[in-house]
Amino acid sequence: MDPTQSINTMHTENQVQVRVRFAPSPTGELHIGGLRTALFNLLFARRHCGRAILRIDDTDRERSREEHLMSILESFSWLGLTFDEGPVQGGPYGPYRQSERLALYRDVLDKLVAEGKAYPCYCSAETLEASRKEQLKAGKTPRYAGTCRHLTPEEHAEKDKAGIRPVYRLKVDREEPLVVHDLIRGKVVFQPDQLDDFVIMKSDGTPTYHLASVIDDALMKITHILRAEEHLSNTPRHVLLFEALGTTPPQFAHVPMILAKDRSKLSKRHGATSVEAFRDLGYLPEALVNYSLLLGYAPPDDREHFHWEELAKTFELDRVAKHPAVYDTDKLRWMNAYYMRTLPLERIFEEARPFLIKAGYVDRTFTSDDERSLTLRRIDAVRERVSTLLELVDGLAYFYRPIQSYDEKGVRKHFSKPDVAAHLRRAARDLTALTVWDLDSTERVFRQTIEDLGISGGALIHPTRLAISGRTVGPGLFDIMVLLGKDETIKRMVEAADWIEAHSSGERHISVEDDAPSSS
Ligand code: ZN
């Protein structure tokens, strides 16, 4: 195949299908910024009935890692985001990993050299640095001096013979400003003195990011490049390369940065920023996707909760903010809490399951349907009050583990009243008589005990909650009783009575004096 020829046939059809690409480097995990850019690409493709391509920019052999690629692919799969073409599903313009396309870049380079559009440069790093310093001293913007542009074939042969491996540069003869009409930022003008003969192939024979990216965008018939703002400064070089290849450049849209709350560039020191890290912290894919989209995008109806595919129907690039978005963990937590409460219970269970297994609360395989359904009911009781899956696991602890300790404040407040141990024993005894253990029966018997003892509801409810959960807040008391089971509930009430009696000698006075008498 002659790659240049196929480049030239681009945009010849009348009806050009929208084609966009997300091109991560496997040099790290997928970050929240990358996720947002990927989403904008997917939305734009859906909106225009086009195709979204995942391309892996792994020409940097030293920094690219297979495990990072796996992690990126795994993140997309967990997020439920799929591309139309890419390294996993293939497609008509593959391969989609740049490391598998090196021969193709070399062919294009040879063609550019043959056409006199690119040339080898043998300048040493020292020579280039000296020239740079000289220009800076003279108050000029440092540019490549063009030294190797005019080498004769004999001089080339001599350098090659001396074993100097050249880089290749693109010849740039541009006098007038280069104007890019960015779909988000509008008109951006680059002055010709910012452009010089830049390197397109390194001395080890691998293409620079610019060359590989532009060749692939041309060959893969990319119509719109939606990418991070940090690439804006690369855009004039890319336009020049498209022109050298004889191709009309795609349209560009540069997405503003994401800043931390302190307005600095978002980085690791701001806590979790990768999809994988958020997953480990117990965030849901629905929340991460929804939140990422709200970073710098204003949906037409001001809604805050939506599925990304819904948003695709109305997605417009002119709704993307032109200023940087500020990343806010509190907002993400709030978003996650919303999905914890509102997603189908089975969906929460699916995401919670690895966490529950890790905590040792459930087995990989449930021994019975009853056990599974009990776990689901427990999750349902707790999920209203938590923001993440980790908090859910913590909130479920007392259903699966004996109580390690009672909440300290709760002990001072609820275990220090006179007769509380005796009341707990009495309530436990009354409950023992029950043959049906459900919300109605437990509540009925419990209320009867309160009446018989002639105390306030709270005087028994609070100590009982503390006795059976170790905590002062949580689901309704009778929900906890039912989800814990009869035997365990009664056992814990008796254990708490024992504990109170063992710890009450001498301490009770202090506790009582400390604590203002509350409702009774
Ligand atoms: Zn040179």
Side-chain angles (χ1 to χ4, degrees):
M1 179 183 80
D2 176 350
T4 319
Q5 203 169 13
S6 89
I7 286 170
N8 290 338
T9 59
M10 186 185 169
H11 298 322
T12 50
E13 302 112 281
N14 289 333
Q15 202 69 44
V16 178
Q17 185 189 39
V18 163
R19 290 178 58 82
V20 294
R21 89 298 198 275
F22 177 64
S25 291
T27 54
E29 295 165 353
L30 178 66
H31 281 250
I32 200 99
L35 167 58
R36 189 185 57 162
T37 306
L39 279 166
F40 284 167
N41 274 285
L42 287 163
L43 286 166
F44 190 77
R46 290 284 167 97
R47 174 80 175 84
H48 298 282
C49 303
R51 308 267 290 171
I53 289 109
L54 178 67
R55 188 174 76 215
I56 305 301
D57 178 358
D58 57 353
T59 53
D60 185 342
R61 281 179 240 179
E62 263 170 43
R63 292 175 57 229
S64 296
R65 297 264 182 283
E66 200 63 21
E67 71 249 33
H68 293 317
L69 173 60
M70 290 304 131
S71 155
I72 291 169
L73 296 175
E74 171 61 26
S75 289
F76 278 123
S77 148
W78 176 68
L79 291 164
L81 302 174
T82 47
F83 291 85
D84 303 303
E85 296 167 28
V88 179
Q89 59 276 69
Y93 300 93
Y96 293 90
R97 291 180 67 165
Q98 293 192 321
S99 58
E100 294 170 16
R101 301 168 65 83
L102 295 175
L104 203 147
Y105 307 135
R106 187 78 219 182
D107 288 348
V108 174
L109 178 85
D110 290 347
K111 207 159 166 62
L112 288 172
V113 172
E115 289 169 357
K117 293 174 178 169
Y119 62 91
C121 164
Y122 299 89
C123 295
S124 66
E126 294 77 28
T127 312
L128 293 173
E129 182 55 23
S131 159
R132 202 182 79 89
K133 278 189 179 151
E134 213 168 283
Q135 294 181 63
L136 281 174
K137 219 169 151 187
K140 290 181 190 162
T141 313
R143 300 161 73 192
Y144 176 63
T147 322
C148 300
R149 254 196 192 217
H150 312 293
L151 293 183
T152 61
E154 292 74 31
E155 285 170 312
H156 280 167
E158 206 176 288
K159 302 269 188 195
D160 289 337
K161 214 173 150 190
I164 306 173
R165 301 178 67 184
V167 300
Y168 284 83
R169 294 180 181 273
L170 188 77
K171 242 181 229 175
V172 179
D173 295 305
R174 198 176 175 99
E175 307 286 329
E176 69 278 20
L178 194 152
V179 179
V180 173
H181 294 278
D182 189 281
L183 294 173
I184 293 172
R185 304 178 56 100
K187 185 174 157 186
V188 187
V189 180
F190 299 90
Q191 294 307 323
D193 66 357
Q194 295 173 306
L195 308 166
D196 64 358
D197 292 357
F198 60 97
V199 176
I200 54 175
M201 179 78 78
K202 297 176 219 167
S203 58
D204 65 359
T206 56
T208 59
Y209 160 73
H210 309 300
L211 183 68
S213 174
V214 168
I215 291 176
D216 286 348
D217 288 337
L219 287 177
M220 294 178 179
K221 301 194 190 310
I222 301 302
T223 58
H224 297 78
I225 296 181
L226 278 56
R227 62 184 175 188
E229 194 181 26
E230 66 201 51
H231 288 297
L232 184 64
S233 59
N234 292 327
T235 305
R237 292 197 187 97
H238 295 182
V239 170
L240 292 168
L241 266 170
F242 279 111
E243 285 172 359
L245 296 177
T247 308
T248 312
Q251 289 201 268
F252 292 93
H254 287 92
V255 181
M257 303 210 310
I258 299 177
L259 300 180
K261 252 186 173 172
D262 60 7
R263 311 291 295 182
S264 67
K265 192 170 182 261
L266 192 61
S267 72
K268 277 212 174 111
R269 76 191 162 87
H270 297 107
T273 54
S274 77
V275 171
E276 215 169 274
F278 283 120
R279 183 183 184 175
D280 291 345
L281 287 172
Y283 285 86
L284 298 162
E286 286 84 350
L288 264 183
V289 167
N290 192 156
Y291 178 68
S292 303
L293 281 173
L294 283 183
L295 281 173
Y297 187 78
D301 51 4
D302 288 335
R303 256 195 317 159
E304 298 212 273
H305 304 290
F306 44 77
H307 190 276
W308 72 273
E309 279 170 324
E310 259 173 87
L311 195 65
K313 290 175 201 146
T314 57
F315 184 76
E316 295 298 344
L317 283 175
D318 58 18
R319 291 191 159 271
V320 175
K322 290 173 181 57
H323 51 80
V326 175
Y327 161 87
D328 179 351
T329 344
D330 295 338
K331 180 104 194 230
L332 176 59
R333 268 181 69 80
W334 168 82
M335 183 72 81
N336 208 64
Y338 168 82
Y339 283 107
M340 289 293 298
R341 288 195 307 274
T342 56
L343 283 177
L345 187 54
E346 284 284 349
R347 178 76 194 100
I348 298 295
F349 174 62
E350 190 187 330
E351 289 297 329
R353 195 166 173 160
F355 290 90
L356 298 173
I357 290 170
K358 199 175 162 204
Y361 296 170
V362 300
D363 277 330
R364 264 163 216 289
T365 50
F366 282 94
T367 43
S368 67
D369 285 350
D370 285 353
E371 198 199 340
R372 190 177 190 280
S373 103
L374 180 62
T375 300
L376 281 169
R377 284 158 59 213
R378 287 170 173 175
I379 290 173
D380 206 19
V382 172
R383 67 166 167 164
E384 289 282 334
R385 291 167 184 81
V386 297
S387 299
T388 66
L389 293 166
L390 277 185
E391 290 177 17
L392 178 76
V393 169
D394 177 64
L396 287 167
Y398 54 81
F399 289 119
Y400 297 94
R401 291 260 176 276
I403 289 167
Q404 311 288 331
S405 63
Y406 300 108
D407 176 84
E408 264 180 58
K409 264 192 186 163
V411 167
R412 282 200 300 275
K413 203 164 173 191
H414 306 304
F415 277 2
S416 61
K417 305 253 166 64
D419 304 327
V420 69
H423 292 162
L424 281 170
R425 287 190 201 284
R426 167 68 192 272
R429 200 172 62 229
D430 293 351
L431 287 166
T432 308
L434 275 175
T435 48
V436 176
W437 190 258
D438 61 18
L439 281 179
D440 286 346
S441 61
T442 50
E443 180 164 7
R444 182 169 38 77
V445 169
F446 200 81
R447 298 269 177 218
Q448 187 61 54
T449 306
I450 288 165
E451 207 185 307
D452 293 350
L453 288 169
I455 55 175
S456 73
L460 191 57
I461 288 170
H462 297 313
T464 305
R465 172 190 293 284
L466 189 59
I468 65 175
S469 73
R471 306 180 188 201
T472 54
V473 286
L477 179 64
F478 305 108
D479 289 293
I480 300 177
M481 284 187 178
V482 170
L483 293 169
L484 201 55
K486 181 182 171 185
D487 292 351
E488 190 62 28
T489 300
I490 290 165
K491 184 172 152 240
R492 288 185 186 186
M493 289 171 78
V494 173
E495 277 171 359
D498 293 345
W499 187 92
I500 293 164
E501 282 162 0
H503 288 78
S504 63
S505 53
E507 278 174 46
R508 180 179 289 182
H509 280 302
I510 300 161
S511 296
V512 170
E513 281 165 15
D514 264 358
D515 211 39
S518 54
S519 63
S520 65

